[in-house]
Amino acid sequence: MERQEALELLTGKVANFVGLVGKVLPGDVTAKLKELSENETVPMAKMIYEFMEKNQREAAELNRPSCQDTGLIQMFVRVGTKFPYIDDLKPVLKEAVFIATKEAPLRHNAVETFDEVNTGTNTGTDAPWLYWDIIPNSDKLELDVYMAGGGCSLPGQGKTLMPGEGYEGVVKFVLDVMTSYGLNACPPLLVGVGIGTSIDSAAFMAKKALMRPVGSHNANPKAAALEDEMTAAIDSIGLGPQGLKGSKSVMGVNIENSARHPSVISCAVNVGCWSHRRGTITFNSDLSYQSSTHEGVAL
Ligand code: SF4
């Protein structure tokens, strides 16, 4: 295949995947919503879960976005140093979002800061927003595509704590954010928490945590236990689906962490809503592909 032809093929497949992510939730989120619905005991909450399921089914059947806010597109890019199209990847991903916006379609959500002009394409200055990770000796490209809606982006906050505040301070910070703003983000939520050495790394990890499947746990047993404790604590608020009261508030809490300076604990919260549109796709060097979130997908 000629290089130009291959680049067009890759662009088209990524564009189709971005469109799909806007319409079909990943398997882990669908399964968790079903579990929450089946176990819900508050009648109004149970009815809302049933409408969420109907909404998802009809979005897929009618080929329409699962929520009107198709978000600002963010991608975590893990690209092998031997992936043959690494040099062209940034413009390929931008063009893919441009095409998906027209063809999916996606709501126009990219507004140039200061100019206050909607580009109408979901592309713009550093939009889509890309996080890069270079993988040595690999010829693959792995992409997490995420649609960050306005409502679920609103609770995002970070804080650097004095070391004496300890992990209790982290829990208090997360619960303060959840009790103040969790309601706005269309629960049940997936709560991403980042804990590290500075506010920027904590914020990054809080978003990265949202790319982990619902129900997964941090590899560190103490962090994993804290995930479960925070889940129980936020559930006890009883936000329920869409914040209209119910037995649960969250799909889960995912914590990501790094080593930190002994004088500080930086923590950050980032939130995914019930319509948590996350998709992971892996391209091989011949541009064959498979998705761990949308099994059997044909683009
Ligand atoms: S928070 Fe999520 S479900 Fe609610 S409007 Fe925003 S994108 Fe849609």
Side-chain angles (χ1 to χ4, degrees):
M1 200 181 335
E2 293 293 327
R3 186 170 185 81
Q4 190 53 34
E5 190 188 346
L7 289 174
E8 284 169 17
L9 186 70
L10 178 61
T11 306
K13 290 198 182 303
V14 175
N16 290 344
F17 190 65
V18 170
L20 178 79
V21 169
K23 294 166 186 165
V24 180
L25 296 182
D28 56 306
V29 172
T30 303
K32 186 66 185 182
L33 290 172
K34 186 166 185 285
E35 179 195 313
L36 289 171
S37 176
E38 285 169 357
N39 295 334
E40 182 58 69
T41 52
V42 177
M44 166 78 103
K46 206 168 178 68
M47 192 173 76
I48 295 170
Y49 279 122
E50 284 164 9
F51 272 107
M52 286 173 170
E53 195 276 328
K54 182 168 185 259
N55 181 88
Q56 281 317 112
R57 197 172 1 101
E58 294 195 352
E61 283 168 11
L62 300 170
N63 194 29
R64 291 180 189 163
S66 83
C67 172
Q68 84 287 345
D69 184 353
T70 51
L72 195 95
I73 314 297
Q74 302 185 325
M75 295 185 196
F76 285 77
V77 185
R78 293 176 289 283
V79 60
T81 50
K82 296 182 168 44
F83 183 67
Y85 310 107
I86 185 170
D87 291 342
D88 300 285
L89 208 43
K90 193 170 181 183
V92 160
L93 298 177
K94 198 163 195 165
E95 179 68 9
V97 169
F98 181 91
I99 293 170
T101 299
K102 280 197 290 186
E103 294 189 354
L106 306 176
R107 197 177 81 178
H108 303 165
N109 283 328
V111 173
E112 288 292 2
T113 303
F114 293 121
D115 297 335
E116 294 303 307
V117 172
N118 192 321
T119 65
T121 63
N122 282 320
T123 64
T125 306
D126 282 323
W129 183 263
L130 306 174
Y131 296 98
W132 292 91
D133 203 353
I134 306 295
I135 312 298
N137 298 315
S138 162
D139 64 354
K140 297 187 191 310
L141 163 67
E142 190 174 40
L143 285 178
D144 295 323
V145 175
Y146 180 54
M147 297 191 172
C152 52
S153 295
L154 269 176
Q157 289 197 35
K159 191 175 184 184
T160 298
L161 307 173
M162 298 295 280
E165 293 180 75
Y167 297 99
E168 293 84 351
V170 173
V171 173
K172 180 178 182 308
F173 170 73
V174 174
L175 287 175
D176 282 349
V177 173
M178 285 299 105
T179 49
S180 305
Y181 301 105
L183 201 64
N184 299 324
C186 294
L189 310 171
L190 180 62
V191 182
V193 177
I195 305 172
T197 196
S198 59
I199 199 64
D200 52 315
S201 58
F204 166 72
M205 288 187 286
K207 176 57 63 75
K208 190 175 168 211
L210 295 181
M211 299 303 109
R212 264 181 36 209
V214 173
S216 64
H217 277 95
N218 190 298
N220 182 309
K222 292 177 187 163
L226 191 56
E227 289 175 335
D228 288 341
E229 286 162 22
M230 280 197 197
T231 297
I234 304 170
D235 273 344
S236 72
I237 304 167
L239 293 176
Q242 292 295 1
L244 292 169
K245 287 191 180 171
S247 316
K248 305 282 185 185
S249 308
V250 296
M251 294 190 279
V253 175
N254 289 353
I255 298 175
E256 288 288 304
N257 57 283
S258 68
R260 62 180 176 79
H261 189 284
S263 304
V264 290
I265 302 179
S266 288
C267 57
V269 178
N270 229 312
V271 167
C273 57
W274 78 267
S275 183
H276 185 53
R277 285 145 302 164
R278 180 194 93 241
T280 303
I281 188 163
T282 304
F283 287 95
N284 304 309
S285 58
D286 64 358
L287 299 187
S288 59
Y289 56 88
Q290 56 278 330
S291 169
S292 58
T293 51
H294 296 73
E295 265 183 50
V297 65
L299 301 171

